[in-house]
Amino acid sequence: MNGRGGGDTAKMESVVLAAPVTALEFAGDVLLAGTGPEVAAFQLSGGGPAAAAGRRIVLRETSVQGLRAEPGPGPGGGAVVRVAAFGGRWLAVLAVRRGGPGGGARLAACGGGAARELGARVWEARWAAGGRLALALGGGAVALYEWRGGGCWLRRASCGGAGALRCAALAGAYWERLALAAGTAAGTVAVWRAAAAATPRRRLRGHRGAVLALCYAAPRGLLASASEDRSVRLWAVGELGGGDGDDGDGDGSCLLVCYGHGARVAAVALRGPRPVSAGEDGACLEWDGGGGVRRARRGHRGALRALALRPAGGCLATGGDDCGVRLWRPRRAAPAPKALRAPERPRSVALAGPRRVLALGEAGGLAVCEAAAGRWVPVLPPAAGRPRRVLAVTPLRGGAEALCALAAGDGHLLLFALGSPGAVTEQRPFEGAVRGLSWASRPGLPPSSVALLASGPDGEMLWLDVTHRHGQVPQVRLMGRYLLPPCKQRWHTCAAFPPQGGLLVCGDRRGSLLLFPCSSSPEQAAESTGIANGTSPVDKDSGSSLEPSCSAHRGALPLEAPLSVLFGLHGKTGVTSVTCHGDYIYSTGRDGIYRQLRLQGQQLEVLRKHRPCKGLQWIEELRFTLDGDLLVLGFHADNFVVWSSKTGENLHCIPCGGGHRSWSYCSSPSDEAFAFIKCGDVMLYHRQTEPCQQQVLLASLHGREIACVRRLGAVRVPSHDTLNIFVTGSEDTTACVLALSERTRAAVPLARLSDHISSVRALALAGPAGPGDEGLSTLLFSAGGRAQIECYRLLCAGDPASESAVTCQVIHVASHRLDQHWERKKNRHKLVKMDPETRYMSLSVVPGTSTKQLPTPWMFLAAACSDGSVRVFGLLEAARKLVLVAESFHHQRCVLKVETFLHAGAAGERRHLLCSAATDGGIAFWDITGTIAEATDTLHQAEGEMQPLDLGAPLLTVMAHSCGVNSLHVHETREGRYLVASGSDDGSIHLCLLEVSPSGAEAAAGTCLQVLERVARPCAHAAHVTGIRVLRPDLLLSASVDQRLTLWRRGPGGLAALSTTFFHVPDLAELDCWEVAEAGGELRYCCVLCGQGLEMLCGTAPPEPPQ
């Protein structure tokens, strides 16, 4: 921070930075990433996972746009590798050497390689002979630079007529052979020699937009170019940096044109003769020899900006606007599904392990195919007059054996082990058809036993425990009877036993989730043993058993009704799976959403819903892996996909025709298989399990600009540093809970909220959020486009066992949308319809309204809206209701900011005050005490429903600025007065001191506000002031789009600048501040800035002036 304006300056320093990744480079076995002004290093260890090796600030007031490593063996070979880092007009040289933590790489500045400003933009750098640097500069200049010592120019040449450059590539090690290929804004690539740089000797034409990236491969004489016209082109240019020719021995012909990106192509590299490109559509594409996409890699949440290939090992690294870095390892191409030629037309298919496929024919015959042998073996012959319709298979623990259940249309049920299909138990649990079968593991059962759920006519569901003993018929015990709620499709589809015991959760075809009581006590169970022909027990060698009916035992068990019903939770298409993991229950459906639930007593409570990825409209199952990943199995159009929540990519994408046909997926530590029915045959996709192709080195935050940020608090974790927890909202329609560590200087996502259908522009917090052993608990409100507000309860606690050291539990409390509110209005045809494009610009929780003494404590929230209104909402957390209670269109223009504060008078009276700021520069002040009281009474009497009240006229309006107010903050002084600070589009700052009139004669007419002092600072910043905070009555902090953070002293003469800090977040959107008391009693002020990235800064507070 550069101090100015006095000796009591306070320095603020950057402690955490998450910025877009703009440069990547492999230096031996180290991957370097340029993120903002920093370079982060990652140590690669053979085929194992890469590890973070450290960070270092390299440049000053610019981002690292390029990294170029000196050719050499790298740290793994015992040598020091020098790396040139450049961006804007700045250049620095780093040394990558061993000696870091754990023997890894360490970043250090080379002697004489400190950051220098060169006076012209550096487009490209290349290591030349003698350890010097060849540079491509702005204006079409080429230079040879000696960076050691004080730095000096050795040679320099300028090429006229090159045009406006956008990128460059250099070739050659000596000045006489140094060649430059430059991409221009006109879409051409100009090629010339530095020694004869009067005019370009060759122009490569073909792109219809600016050329954004170039890559030259000297051994093959190929030049790849990427353009904003979404294309990649490959040119034959010959050897540019050798021989005696002026521009290489190639003819400059275009060998390949590649179209496949959905946006501008930002980076390109060459892997042999084939280009690899990264685009702003978030895809990294590897092209084949015909211009088609050979392989697509997706996983980033935003546009890609950087790409690097490792010469040895074939690794590829990508980075982009989401602040993430990913390492992609080579992976074999996926095999094509193979037709197995089933013996009869299949009706249903199931996998009993990755290498065994069962197929149930339309005639009722069952056959098994071993994938290795490739031939079918009959298991059961077709059943004449009794077609079998439902097949369910489950492997027993250990995987050596599998149990099969077959149900027929007349109510018969066959149970047998696949290894001994002759030992069959035949039951008839229902008089009508068996509608549904599903296996479920139950805690406490031996490895040879598993639970079977069977649904019959009239909504009855039976719970059977099936036990397998080698060589014997399976033993069946009837454990419970349940009645499903009435509906058209009345059968269950899935079931699970929660680890708490005594309960059963199941999903039905109607989309409902049901909770039933269950007991595993022997007294309430009815066991059925084998009875041959209904007369005598079956000998274990006889091979089969026939039981006339389970109905003989059903009378001993009551028909249980559900304890809790979430009717139609997943829509009319049905629940597809129920999974228990930890203390939570997860359900999936064909609505493309999976939900997280918990048990509250004997009731199911939905915590939140997740939509994992765009286009996944059918989710079939969730699988939790040992490394902490969550795999989502489902269907994207007519493809079966396995999607990784950890990396955000499709691990498998198999064209199968859709999920309406029978299919089955199975995975093991060594194999993965997917069987499905297509074209009247059984198809099998099988491949060996490989290590994860993708490794996340830096976690992705948001795919687009971060529009708002709020600090929840700090969490103390044993054996870890105290972690700061933040919530961010973005233009990518998501909000994210983050943990920022000052030690690692990294941001780690804890939870991602994806309920919004448009951008998230405003956040507000309510409730206690202080550090402690039990963590943080607070209410979060998020709002943005499409007039949508979401409310969550966040529970953050330290967890030393987790990778992030903090866990975050999210509970969705309530939501509100104006279009849905409009649809519920009476006589709405007489009113002007609300604008569906209304955006919430700012939120503020009204303090002091939620009291525990009330039978229904309501909390109130104020919102600034783009349609010119100020709205107030009421939240009842217990009932999960968010209601619009009041509004006013006083401003008649877009309201940008809103703040609320509580005034406590000397006599104990409490007044709720609100201030709102609009695009005309005016700030209006309201007394909403009466509105809050009336709304509370109305909501209590009307049980949470009411017509919105009118806020009335404001108490006072202050014209603070000449244009829109982008930042607003209210601070209460010790004397009970209020400092209102605001920043505007014109770069000005305004400060006014308000006083609320004491009770007395004036109070009878209502609250009165008086302006005691006004201070204005025109042109305080060179751009919009988008963040402002009053730290103390004499101290003010402001931040602007000009990337300057300024600390101001408020005194009798107005505002005086104490110090200014350059921060590294472009397009600043918002600022949040807090204070931290150090152990020695010293007070620190910290702030977090958001925009295109996220940065946290801290500094000591200057002493207060004498009173």
Side-chain angles (χ1 to χ4, degrees):
M1 187 164 193
N2 301 321
R4 59 180 197 208
D8 56 347
T9 60
K11 293 184 178 180
M12 297 196 73
E13 297 179 352
S14 176
V15 294
V16 179
L17 175 64
V21 178
T22 50
L24 290 168
E25 179 78 349
F26 285 98
D29 57 358
V30 176
L31 172 64
L32 302 175
T35 167
E38 298 181 340
V39 173
F42 303 92
Q43 183 73 50
L44 309 181
S45 55
R55 287 173 175 249
R56 185 180 181 88
I57 298 178
V58 177
L59 304 182
R60 295 183 181 178
E61 298 182 0
T62 188
S63 298
V64 177
Q65 298 295 328
L67 294 166
R68 297 295 178 262
E70 186 177 18
V80 175
V81 174
R82 295 178 298 194
V83 179
F86 56 91
R89 299 169 180 261
W90 292 83
L91 173 71
V93 178
L94 289 175
V96 182
R97 56 168 59 94
R98 286 195 174 274
R106 183 170 62 90
L107 297 178
C110 274
R116 294 191 181 93
E117 189 174 6
L118 301 183
R121 174 158 185 173
V122 182
W123 287 106
E124 181 59 287
R126 176 181 174 84
W127 288 93
R132 301 182 176 98
L133 284 171
L135 303 176
L137 305 174
V142 184
L144 194 62
Y145 184 70
E146 177 57 73
W147 55 273
R148 289 162 290 204
C152 63
W153 300 101
L154 302 178
R155 303 289 295 271
R156 187 164 180 165
S158 180
C159 175
L165 301 191
R166 299 296 298 272
C167 60
L170 290 166
Y174 299 94
W175 178 258
E176 293 75 14
R177 295 185 176 182
L178 187 64
L180 173 68
T184 68
T188 62
V189 180
V191 182
W192 68 85
R193 283 290 183 92
T199 57
R201 301 302 299 269
R202 179 186 300 171
R203 292 184 184 272
L204 308 178
R205 306 179 187 274
H207 286 292
R208 297 184 178 181
V211 180
L212 303 180
L214 292 171
C215 179
Y216 174 66
R220 297 178 182 270
L222 298 176
L223 178 70
S225 60
S227 170
E228 64 179 13
D229 66 0
R230 307 182 183 185
S231 73
V232 175
R233 291 176 181 259
L234 190 64
W235 312 85
V237 295
E239 189 177 358
L240 296 180
D244 298 326
D246 284 341
D247 50 7
D249 53 4
D251 57 2
S253 60
C254 183
L255 303 178
L256 199 63
V257 180
C258 307
Y259 280 98
H261 282 283
R264 302 192 305 176
V265 188
V268 67
L270 282 168
R271 173 174 281 171
R274 298 190 180 111
V276 181
S277 58
E280 294 183 4
D281 56 353
C284 177
L285 304 182
E286 187 171 348
W287 306 90
D288 59 22
V293 178
R294 179 171 175 263
R295 181 170 298 171
R297 296 176 173 89
R298 303 177 189 271
H300 287 269
R301 302 187 65 86
L304 296 184
R305 300 293 177 191
L307 171 68
L309 296 177
R310 189 183 185 190
C315 290
L316 183 148
T318 54
D321 285 351
D322 60 356
C323 309
V325 176
R326 306 199 175 206
L327 183 67
W328 306 81
R329 302 186 186 276
R331 190 177 186 182
R332 291 193 297 267
K338 180 177 65 174
L340 297 182
R341 298 182 181 179
E344 60 176 299
R345 189 176 181 87
R347 179 189 184 91
S348 181
V349 66
L351 285 168
R355 297 181 177 273
R356 285 193 295 181
V357 186
L358 278 81
L360 175 65
E362 292 185 348
L366 183 67
V368 61
C369 177
E370 294 287 345
R375 59 186 180 86
W376 291 90
V377 177
V379 177
L380 294 177
R386 190 193 298 173
R388 305 172 182 127
R389 297 180 177 178
V390 186
L391 169 66
V393 180
T394 181
L396 295 174
R397 272 178 261 180
E401 188 56 278
L403 283 175
C404 300
L406 271 174
D410 59 355
H412 281 80
L413 178 65
L414 301 180
L415 298 169
F416 60 92
L418 190 58
S420 51
V424 182
T425 294
E426 185 171 351
Q427 304 272 334
R428 192 174 185 186
F430 305 107
E431 294 300 324
V434 178
R435 302 285 187 180
L437 284 177
S438 66
W439 296 97
S441 59
R442 182 165 66 85
L445 281 180
S448 59
S449 300
V450 68
L452 176 67
L453 284 300
S455 294
D458 302 324
E460 184 177 359
M461 182 177 70
L462 300 182
W463 165 26
L464 309 171
D465 271 357
V466 182
T467 303
H468 165 70
R469 292 184 177 88
H470 183 69
Q472 300 183 14
V473 294
Q475 291 186 343
V476 182
R477 175 181 292 181
L478 180 61
M479 302 296 293
R481 300 172 58 221
Y482 306 101
L483 186 64
L484 302 177
C487 60
K488 183 178 181 180
Q489 297 171 314
R490 200 177 179 187
W491 64 86
H492 89 286
T493 55
C494 52
F497 292 88
Q500 292 87 344
L503 296 170
L504 169 65
V505 183
C506 73
D508 66 6
R509 182 60 180 81
R510 177 56 181 81
S512 305
L513 210 60
L514 316 168
L515 180 68
F516 291 100
C518 68
S519 174
S520 57
S521 60
E523 294 80 7
Q524 296 188 12
E527 183 172 357
S528 66
T529 57
I531 301 176
N533 298 324
T535 57
S536 61
V538 175
D539 183 77
K540 81 175 193 177
D541 298 327
S542 64
S544 65
S545 165
L546 173 65
E547 177 149 341
S549 177
C550 284
S551 59
H553 304 292
R554 287 192 293 180
L557 296 176
L559 193 61
E560 300 279 359
L563 299 172
S564 176
V565 178
L566 299 178
F567 186 77
L569 184 66
H570 285 277
K572 296 182 179 181
T573 51
V575 181
T576 53
S577 75
V578 177
T579 307
C580 298
H581 180 72
D583 297 329
Y584 303 104
I585 300 168
Y586 298 84
S587 65
T588 64
R590 298 181 184 180
D591 55 354
I593 294 173
Y594 73 88
R595 288 173 169 83
Q596 184 183 17
L597 306 97
R598 68 178 177 184
L599 290 172
Q600 287 286 82
Q602 293 187 335
Q603 297 294 314
L604 290 170
E605 179 187 8
V606 179
L607 300 181
R608 58 182 298 205
K609 63 180 182 180
H610 303 255
R611 190 177 295 275
C613 65
K614 187 177 180 180
L616 195 61
Q617 300 175 349
W618 177 337
I619 301 179
E620 184 66 25
E621 188 181 350
L622 302 179
R623 298 197 178 186
F624 295 87
T625 64
L626 296 177
D627 61 353
D629 197 3
L630 171 61
L631 303 182
V632 181
L633 282 62
F635 291 89
H636 184 286
D638 59 351
N639 298 320
F640 173 78
V641 299
V642 179
W643 187 80
S644 169
S645 301
K646 190 173 184 178
T647 60
E649 65 166 333
N650 285 334
L651 302 181
H652 302 284
C653 185
I654 308 165
C656 63
H660 57 283
R661 304 181 181 93
S662 179
W663 59 272
S664 180
Y665 174 78
C666 181
S667 64
S668 70
S670 59
D671 298 273
E672 294 174 295
F674 177 71
F676 58 98
I677 296 176
K678 189 174 184 180
C679 300
D681 199 358
V682 177
M683 311 290 291
L684 178 65
Y685 167 90
H686 179 271
R687 69 179 300 168
Q688 294 182 348
T689 303
E690 297 180 355
C692 185
Q693 178 192 14
Q694 181 183 169
Q695 183 184 353
V696 179
L697 303 183
L698 282 181
S700 300
L701 301 187
H702 289 283
R704 297 181 64 185
E705 179 185 358
I706 302 176
C708 47
V709 62
R710 285 292 182 272
R711 179 180 182 264
L712 270 67
V715 174
R716 298 191 184 101
V717 185
S719 70
H720 289 75
D721 294 335
T722 298
L723 299 174
N724 288 286
I725 311 300
F726 298 89
V727 183
T728 56
S730 171
E731 298 285 346
D732 66 358
T733 75
T734 66
C736 189
V737 184
L738 306 169
L740 267 64
S741 170
E742 296 184 30
R743 180 179 59 85
T744 62
R745 296 179 60 86
V748 179
L750 303 178
R752 205 173 296 275
L753 315 177
S754 56
D755 295 297
H756 283 271
I757 60 176
S758 187
S759 61
V760 181
R761 301 184 61 93
L763 298 171
L765 300 175
D773 296 335
E774 288 139 9
L776 307 172
S777 175
T778 185
L779 275 174
L780 168 67
F781 295 92
S782 62
R786 307 292 295 181
Q788 180 181 5
I789 300 179
E790 300 291 336
C791 179
Y792 306 89
R793 169 67 68 177
L794 301 182
L795 305 170
C796 299
D799 182 10
S802 68
E803 184 178 353
S804 60
V806 178
T807 59
C808 180
Q809 175 59 52
V810 181
I811 302 173
H812 186 264
V813 176
S815 63
H816 186 277
R817 285 177 57 185
L818 281 183
D819 56 351
Q820 296 174 353
H821 171 77
W822 168 266
E823 294 298 330
R824 292 194 298 266
K825 276 191 174 183
K826 296 180 180 179
N827 298 322
R828 60 178 180 269
H829 62 281
K830 300 179 181 179
L831 305 173
V832 178
K833 186 175 181 180
M834 55 80 60
D835 183 4
E837 296 300 325
T838 297
R839 301 180 304 278
Y840 291 121
M841 310 300 293
S842 176
L843 296 177
S844 180
V845 175
V846 181
T849 60
S850 178
T851 58
K852 300 299 182 183
Q853 288 75 20
L854 291 176
T856 54
W858 286 84
M859 182 177 293
F860 292 90
L861 176 76
C865 308
S866 65
D867 61 355
S869 70
V870 176
R871 292 184 169 92
V872 179
F873 297 85
L875 171 71
L876 181 60
E877 184 177 3
R880 298 194 169 191
K881 284 187 177 181
L882 187 61
V883 184
L884 175 63
V885 299
E887 61 184 352
S888 172
F889 288 85
H890 163 77
H891 285 283
Q892 295 295 316
R893 52 182 50 83
C894 177
V895 185
L896 297 174
K897 291 294 177 181
V898 66
E899 286 284 330
T900 57
F901 53 102
L902 177 67
H903 173 71
E909 71 275 9
R910 291 154 58 94
R911 312 298 296 179
H912 300 287
L913 301 174
L914 180 149
C915 62
S916 57
T919 54
D920 61 349
I923 303 176
F925 295 87
W926 318 68
D927 182 3
I928 58 172
T929 308
T931 304
I932 295 295
E934 184 179 354
T936 303
D937 294 339
T938 304
L939 289 170
H940 180 61
Q941 296 172 5
E943 298 182 351
E945 297 294 337
M946 64 175 291
Q947 291 297 319
L949 305 173
D950 187 4
L951 282 179
L955 301 175
L956 175 69
T957 299
V958 177
M959 294 305 298
H961 302 276
S962 61
C963 52
V965 179
N966 280 320
S967 52
L968 184 66
H969 186 239
V970 180
H971 177 82
E972 184 177 4
T973 66
R974 297 190 187 102
E975 298 82 12
R977 298 169 178 174
Y978 300 93
L979 275 170
V980 181
S982 59
S984 175
D985 282 344
D986 58 7
S988 65
I989 293 175
H990 182 272
L991 195 66
C992 65
L993 181 63
L994 298 179
E995 183 180 49
V996 181
S997 295
S999 58
E1002 294 180 351
T1007 305
C1008 180
L1009 286 178
Q1010 295 181 0
V1011 180
L1012 303 181
E1013 179 186 347
R1014 292 182 63 174
V1015 177
R1017 181 66 183 249
C1019 302
H1021 287 272
H1024 310 333
V1025 181
T1026 52
I1028 196 164
R1029 285 294 183 275
V1030 180
L1031 305 179
R1032 292 191 319 230
D1034 66 309
L1035 210 58
L1036 179 73
L1037 189 67
S1038 65
S1040 168
V1041 178
D1042 62 6
Q1043 294 183 244
R1044 301 301 193 272
L1045 181 69
T1046 304
L1047 192 64
W1048 304 88
R1049 171 80 76 185
R1050 172 178 168 260
L1055 294 177
L1058 295 180
S1059 55
T1060 298
T1061 301
F1062 179 87
F1063 58 85
H1064 300 93
V1065 178
D1067 297 334
L1068 177 72
E1070 199 172 44
L1071 160 75
D1072 195 17
C1073 295
W1074 67 99
E1075 60 183 35
V1076 179
E1078 298 293 337
E1082 188 180 26
L1083 192 64
R1084 272 202 318 162
Y1085 286 110
C1086 299
C1087 67
V1088 62
L1089 306 160
C1090 69
Q1092 290 185 18
L1094 194 72
E1095 186 172 10
M1096 175 179 161
L1097 301 97
C1098 293
T1100 57
E1104 294 191 35
Q1107 298 294 330

